[in-house]
């Protein structure tokens, strides 16, 4: 097992807290609920991508990179944290290829990208394939100019990036008492690298746990194969003989609403419920939708409510500020004349 000898750069104070959430647990009829606070990783306003970037940036430096590139939507947490990580390790240029609906304001993550000094290539309504093609072309061009670009795939979800979540599960295992070591672990699935890492991490360090990914991007079938492949790839990097196929991966796919990036009513209600029970801030794109899955499954008794449940908070709160119209109607305000 080579986890401790893989190239890694510290980008956060660790471990992140494991908070009990007794008020939310009571509201959902759960015996015990913890929230693993990976929103509190300490780089650039935090989130799950920090753990992946600890391994990805070490790899970039080992390869002599002086430019990093990645892609995502205009409110990508991963893009913001890649820009932050590049600053932290002293890589001068970070180019973000952002595709999606046109935007009017530089707010939420996009504002942080600006503050961090990332170069933004906005590609209106581009697909992931379009963005990856554009990155490959840019990388080719830079190599021609004797630069050394390092391209990070969307979400940082390569086998190298997934090592961050193998390591996170090892950390979590040390925070749990024996009676909590067979938990259900819920979290949002976007590009499935977190899921891949957590699946492998549980095999190695928390074998009685069950990982439940909640898709925020679409139907499960498109991600099962990818998650299994990335998990197997990460195992290979670590030199452990663990193989994954689709049947080893669980994704719930009834909670993404209309599509990625469009808030759902249940997701918004989850943001409100968690804020007003535990004072923990979720977001409407990832963690709110994932929590809406946990809430629904707990209330309908689709999960064993006596089992310890852990919600892995993957971050994302900066994007809340880009959804002012979604929440402003809830303001309890009187105008005093
Ligand atoms: C990227 C992201 C996820 C999903 O992680 P993947 O590894 O891409 O599946 C979940 N929550 C937040 C806040 C994210 O930014």
């Amino acid at each position: 097992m080579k986890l401790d000898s893989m190239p890694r750069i510290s980008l956060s104070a660790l471990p992140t807290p494991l908070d009990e959430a007794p008020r939310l647990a009571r509201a959902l009829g759960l015996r015990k609920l913890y929230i693993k606070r990976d929103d509190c990783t300490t780089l650039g306003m935090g989130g799950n991508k920090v753990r992946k970037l600890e391994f990805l940036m070490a790899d970039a430096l080992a390869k002599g990179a002086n430019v990093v590139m990645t892609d995502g939507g205009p409110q990508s947490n991963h893009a913001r944290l890649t820009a932050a990580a590049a600053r932290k390790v002293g890589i001068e240029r970070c180019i973000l290829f952002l595709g999606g609906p046109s935007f009017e304001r530089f707010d939420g993550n996009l504002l942080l990208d600006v503050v961090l000094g990332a170069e933004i290539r906005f590609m209106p309504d581009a697909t992931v394939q379009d963005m990856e093609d554009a990155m490959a072309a840019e990388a080719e061009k830079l190599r021609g100019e004797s630069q050394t670009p390092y391209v990070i795939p969307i979400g940082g979800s390569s086998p190298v990036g997934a090592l961050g979540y193998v390591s996170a599960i090892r950390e979590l295992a040390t925070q749990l008492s024996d009676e909590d070591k067979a938990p259900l672990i819920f979290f949002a699935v976007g590009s499935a690298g977190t899921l891949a890492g957590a699946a492998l991490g549980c095999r190695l360090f928390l074998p009685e746990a069950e990982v439940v990914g909640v898709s925020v991007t679409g139907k499960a079938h498109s991600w099962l194969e990818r998650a299994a492949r990335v998990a197997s790839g990460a195992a290979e990097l670590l030199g452990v003989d663990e193989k994954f196929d689709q049947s080893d991966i669980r994704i719930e796919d009834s909670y993404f609403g209309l599509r990625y990036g469009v808030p759902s009513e249940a997701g918004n209600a989850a943001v409100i419920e968690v804020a007003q029970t535990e004072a923990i801030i979720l977001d409407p794109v990832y963690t709110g939708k994932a929590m809406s899955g946990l809430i629904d499954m707990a209330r309908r008794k689709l999960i064993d409510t006596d089992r310890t449940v852990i919600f892995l908070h993957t971050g994302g709160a900066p994007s809340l500020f880009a959804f002012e119209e979604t929440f402003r109607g809830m303001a309890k305000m009187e105008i005093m004349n």
Side-chain angles (χ1 to χ4, degrees):
M1 156 82 73
K2 294 191 251 175
L3 188 53
D4 289 319
S5 57
M6 297 301 293
R8 176 175 181 179
I9 279 191
S10 170
L11 295 174
S12 177
L14 294 174
T16 58
L18 183 67
D19 287 348
E20 261 208 86
R23 287 159 298 273
L24 182 59
R26 210 170 311 125
L28 303 186
L30 295 172
R31 190 181 57 78
K32 205 176 206 182
L33 173 64
Y34 292 100
I35 301 186
K36 174 65 169 163
R37 300 295 305 278
D38 274 14
D39 58 318
C40 296
T41 48
T42 51
L43 178 78
M45 298 194 81
N48 64 334
K49 303 309 180 309
V50 175
R51 290 188 191 266
K52 300 180 183 186
L53 287 161
E54 291 199 324
F55 290 93
L56 290 162
M57 283 297 173
D59 190 40
L61 288 180
K63 292 180 171 143
N66 63 352
V67 185
V68 294
M69 288 184 240
T70 197
D71 56 335
Q75 282 303 327
S76 169
N77 300 294
H78 167 67
R80 176 247 309 169
L81 285 165
T82 300
R87 287 299 178 207
K88 190 78 178 167
V89 305
I91 292 178
E92 191 51 39
R93 291 184 70 192
C94 174
I95 312 178
L96 304 176
F97 291 76
L98 304 180
S102 209
F103 53 88
E104 268 155 38
R105 295 163 55 87
F106 282 87
D107 51 13
N109 281 301
L110 204 48
L111 185 61
L112 296 172
D113 297 342
V114 172
V115 169
L116 289 161
E119 297 168 41
I120 298 166
R121 307 277 164 87
F122 181 55
M123 301 176 64
D125 300 317
T127 64
V128 172
Q129 191 60 54
D130 294 337
M131 293 187 280
E132 305 218 319
D133 291 347
M135 284 199 293
E138 180 71 25
E140 194 53 43
K141 179 173 152 256
L142 287 168
R143 276 189 287 267
E145 298 163 4
S146 305
Q147 305 290 303
T148 309
Y150 185 83
V151 177
I152 299 177
I154 197 159
S157 289
S158 61
V160 171
L163 296 177
Y165 273 86
V166 177
S167 175
I169 298 292
R170 180 172 68 177
E171 176 185 303
L172 174 65
T174 67
Q175 293 175 306
L176 294 171
S177 59
D178 284 343
E179 66 190 47
D180 292 324
K181 282 196 167 150
L184 289 163
I185 306 176
F186 278 77
F187 54 88
V189 174
S191 57
T194 302
L195 179 59
L200 175 57
C202 284
R203 273 238 192 123
L204 298 173
F205 303 114
L206 209 52
E208 288 169 67
E210 190 180 344
V211 173
V212 186
V214 181
S215 173
V216 302
T217 46
K219 284 291 169 193
H221 57 81
S222 47
W223 296 108
L224 292 170
E225 192 274 328
R226 177 162 177 169
R229 183 161 35 86
V230 172
S232 299
E236 209 175 303
L237 289 175
L238 294 177
V240 295
D241 188 23
E242 298 286 349
K243 297 264 180 311
F244 290 81
D245 62 40
Q246 302 194 13
S247 65
D248 298 313
I249 305 288
R250 176 171 176 192
I251 298 180
E252 296 296 331
D253 62 3
S254 310
Y255 303 105
F256 60 84
L258 215 51
R259 61 188 146 83
Y260 173 73
V262 177
S264 68
E265 228 161 88
N268 299 342
V271 171
I272 297 299
E273 180 151 15
V274 175
Q276 298 183 9
T277 52
E278 298 293 342
I280 289 175
I281 308 302
L282 306 182
D283 75 284
V285 177
Y286 289 98
T287 51
K289 286 181 179 177
M291 182 59 87
S292 78
L294 169 55
I295 290 173
D296 181 63
M297 293 175 77
R299 291 211 166 120
R300 292 165 62 202
K301 300 264 184 278
L302 299 176
I303 54 174
D304 176 359
T305 51
D306 282 330
R307 205 165 159 182
T308 296
V309 173
I310 299 172
F311 181 77
L312 170 62
H313 190 332
T314 45
S319 83
L320 190 59
F321 299 100
F323 289 94
E324 190 256 4
E325 340 69 87
T326 306
F327 294 98
R328 62 176 295 145
M330 291 168 197
K332 299 172 195 166
M333 182 174 79
E334 289 174 39
I335 296 176
M336 309 289 285
N337 285 316

